[in-house]
């Protein structure tokens, strides 16, 4: 189903591009700079989109309060992609053709972002994803870099390798079962790189099973996995299904460590799985509130003051993506999309909440990852790992 949705979105992009060309691209009004947000505000991944929107809005509010950019205020125009690839294509088309934005922040999930990269490229509007980790977001299957697409998050080859090394070196496991969301490019890509790294370390994959997004009963497959006697289960999925998988695994008496990726990072995971079930679970993430830096402390205080809750990784990356866009507009000295795109590609040593980044030749940031451990329902910082 997911594949058909992405193909549908891709088919739409050609026709939509001609509509976009007919309307033209603007740099906002004389007193504003229009920035679009193609975000998962409803649907299965609404937690990510909402947090990203909150983090980005905080950054834009801060710059506007300080006087804007060269006297121009930022207008953040959000479009709901409903957590669906085809809707992401509709959202970006609206932002470009109707709202005439200069640059777009989004989407959050890899599948949704991959459904809109061609539209961004064809219409020559830069796109900065906050949370999409699949390598194909910035580099297509033919090895060509998407010229108008960037991100502020690390990519799955790094994230998967980090967890593979953590499983080997810290958890000391030798046999792992992998449970993949077969409807998610993110999940399949992350599983591939984890398996590659873990087996390179001498580990063995004893089972590989799959589920689909929006599934709710995982007990039969978990029973099958348990029969292979793994030392650990790797579940590189999103919080909605992951929470149910962890709860049902513990209900079945499965006590081995369960690990995953940044798709776990939502406050709803604890609500779904339960605090006790999450003990002895770990995931790779972009930052931890306990990994103290001046930038993180300032952001966390401001975010809690505005939204009355701790920021998750999606909120941090939303803020970071907005900060990267603001920095590019300042260096470009213009709201012209082409000039912003050139500035984004030249981003170097930019200090963000999640760390200092430089955009590489593939439009990916060079940055660190952290390992998060759950203890009684609370995320705790385990360790930080930098690229080699």
């Amino acid at each position: 189903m997911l594949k058909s949705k992405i193909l549908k979105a891709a088919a739409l992009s050609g026709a939509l591009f001609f509509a976009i060309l007919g309307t033209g691209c603007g740099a906002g009004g004389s007193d504003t700079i229009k920035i679009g947000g193609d975000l998962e505000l409803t649907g299965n991944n609404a937690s990510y989109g909402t947090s990203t929107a909150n983090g980005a809005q905080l950054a834009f509010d801060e710059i506007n309060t300080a006087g804007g950019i060269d006297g121009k205020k930022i207008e953040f125009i959000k479009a709901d992609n409903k957590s669906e690839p085809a809707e992401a294509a509709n959202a970006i088309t609206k932002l470009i053709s109707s709202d005439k934005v200069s640059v777009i922040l989004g989407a959050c999930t890899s599948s949704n972002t991959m459904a809109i990269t061609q539209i961004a490229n064809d219409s020559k509007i830069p796109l900065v994803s906050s949370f999409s980790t699949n390598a194909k977001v910035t580099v297509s299957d033919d090895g060509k870099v998407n010229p108008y697409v960037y991100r502020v998050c690390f990519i799955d080859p790094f994230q998967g390798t980090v967890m593979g090394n953590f499983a080997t070196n810290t958890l000391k496991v030798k046999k792992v079962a992998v449970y993949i969301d077969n409807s998610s490019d993110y999940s399949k890509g992350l599983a591939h790189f984890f398996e590659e790294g873990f087996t390179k370390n001498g580990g063995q994959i004893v089972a590989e099973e799959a589920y689909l997004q929006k599934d709710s009963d995982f007990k039969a497959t978990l029973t099958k996995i348990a029969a292979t006697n793994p030392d650990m289960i790797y579940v590189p999925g999103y919080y909605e299904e992951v929470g149910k998988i962890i709860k049902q695994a513990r209900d079945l008496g499965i006590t081995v460590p369960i690990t995953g990726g940044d798709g776990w990072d939502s406050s709803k995971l604890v609500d779904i799985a339960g605090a006790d079930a999450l003990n002895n679970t770990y995931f790779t993430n972009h930052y931890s509130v306990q990994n103290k830096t001046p930038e993180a402390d300032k952001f966390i205080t401001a975010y809690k003051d505005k939204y009355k809750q701790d920021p998750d990784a999606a909120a941090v990356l939303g803020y970071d993506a907005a900060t990267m866009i603001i920095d590019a507009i300042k260096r470009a000295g213009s709201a012209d999309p082409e000039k912003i795109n050139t500035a984004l590609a030249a981003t170097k040593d930019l200090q963000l909440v999640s760390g200092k980044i430089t955009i590489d030749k593939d439009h990916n940031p060079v940055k660190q990852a952290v390992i998060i451990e759950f203890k009684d329902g609370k995320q705790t910082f385990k360790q930080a790992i930098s690229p080699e």
Side-chain angles (χ1 to χ4, degrees):
M1 181 178 290
L2 179 62
K3 183 177 180 181
S4 67
K5 289 178 181 177
I6 295 176
L7 289 173
K8 179 182 177 183
L12 284 170
S13 68
L16 295 173
F17 174 51
F18 289 106
I20 292 169
L21 284 179
T23 58
C25 302
S30 58
D31 297 325
T32 63
I33 298 170
K34 292 185 178 182
I35 297 175
D38 189 330
L39 300 168
E40 293 81 345
L41 301 177
T42 60
N44 214 45
N45 298 310
S47 175
Y48 303 137
T50 301
S51 290
T52 297
N54 288 346
Q57 190 67 64
L58 178 60
F60 295 140
D61 287 347
E62 288 175 349
I63 194 69
N64 284 342
T65 299
I69 302 175
D70 293 332
K72 293 186 177 183
K73 298 296 181 71
I74 289 176
E75 181 182 356
F76 187 34
I77 304 171
K78 297 182 285 291
D80 182 12
N81 64 38
K82 304 177 184 178
S83 303
E84 297 286 348
E87 291 293 341
N90 291 335
I92 193 174
T93 302
K94 172 189 175 294
L95 290 168
I96 296 172
S97 62
S98 298
D99 299 312
K100 296 180 172 54
V101 300
S102 296
V103 58
I104 294 169
L105 193 159
C108 294
T109 66
S110 295
S111 295
N112 291 336
T113 306
M114 288 162 65
I116 63 177
T117 55
Q118 193 59 50
I119 299 175
N121 290 334
D122 289 346
S123 53
K124 298 184 178 180
I125 297 293
L127 172 72
V128 180
S129 176
S130 58
F131 209 44
S132 302
T133 56
N134 190 292
K136 295 179 184 178
V137 166
T138 54
V139 181
S140 58
D141 285 330
D142 60 6
K144 294 182 179 178
V145 177
N146 287 320
Y148 291 86
V149 183
Y150 306 84
R151 61 179 132 209
V152 295
C153 55
F154 51 57
I155 61 175
D156 289 337
F158 175 55
Q159 182 178 193
T161 301
V162 165
M163 183 52 76
N165 291 339
F166 177 76
T168 301
N169 301 328
T170 302
L171 297 181
K172 307 294 185 184
V173 300
K174 298 186 180 301
K175 299 185 299 178
V176 171
V178 179
Y179 199 8
I180 302 169
D181 177 354
N182 217 24
S183 58
S184 166
D185 294 302
Y186 160 79
S187 184
K188 290 184 285 187
L190 194 48
H192 168 75
F193 292 110
F194 166 78
E195 291 179 15
E196 187 174 76
F198 182 65
T199 55
K200 185 178 179 180
N201 293 340
Q204 179 185 2
I205 305 300
V206 295
E208 184 171 321
E209 299 291 340
Y211 63 92
L212 297 175
Q213 208 168 80
K214 299 183 181 180
D215 282 354
S216 59
D217 188 349
F218 306 92
K219 289 183 178 178
T221 305
L222 286 168
T223 299
K224 187 176 178 182
I225 287 173
T228 66
N229 295 313
D231 301 322
M232 184 189 96
I233 303 174
Y234 185 56
V235 190
Y238 294 125
Y239 64 91
E240 188 77 28
E241 291 78 25
V242 167
K244 295 172 184 176
I245 288 169
I246 291 173
K247 183 180 187 305
Q248 291 174 32
R250 300 311 192 210
D251 287 345
L252 289 170
I254 298 172
T255 60
V256 299
I258 301 176
T259 61
D262 60 322
W264 285 31
D265 191 29
S266 169
S267 59
K268 292 186 178 181
L269 181 64
V270 181
D271 297 335
I272 297 168
D276 288 343
L278 283 167
N279 286 329
N280 202 23
T281 67
Y282 309 82
F283 68 99
T284 43
N285 207 9
H286 305 267
Y287 105 118
S288 167
V289 295
Q290 297 172 346
N291 189 19
K292 299 293 186 180
T293 65
E295 293 79 17
D297 288 346
K298 179 182 176 183
F299 166 74
I300 292 166
T301 298
Y303 191 91
K304 290 174 74 171
D305 285 347
K306 185 175 179 67
Y307 299 110
K308 312 306 178 188
Q309 61 185 17
D310 286 329
D312 56 15
V316 172
L317 293 175
Y319 185 89
D320 281 356
T323 301
M324 180 171 155
I325 289 169
I326 291 167
D327 174 72
I329 294 172
K330 286 180 176 179
R331 286 187 289 107
S334 170
D336 176 69
E338 283 289 354
K339 292 181 179 179
I340 294 172
N341 190 61
T342 299
L344 285 168
T347 300
K348 184 176 181 180
D349 294 332
L350 178 62
Q351 184 64 57
L352 301 176
V353 174
S354 60
K356 184 179 288 187
I357 70 165
T358 292
I359 295 300
D360 68 14
K361 62 181 179 59
D362 293 330
H363 290 184
N364 299 317
V366 179
K367 64 188 300 188
Q368 71 173 14
V370 299
I371 301 289
I372 302 294
E373 178 182 4
F374 275 103
K375 292 183 178 180
D376 298 324
K378 302 292 185 182
Q379 291 190 20
T380 62
F381 173 70
K382 184 71 174 178
Q383 66 187 76
I385 302 173
S386 298
E388 294 181 355

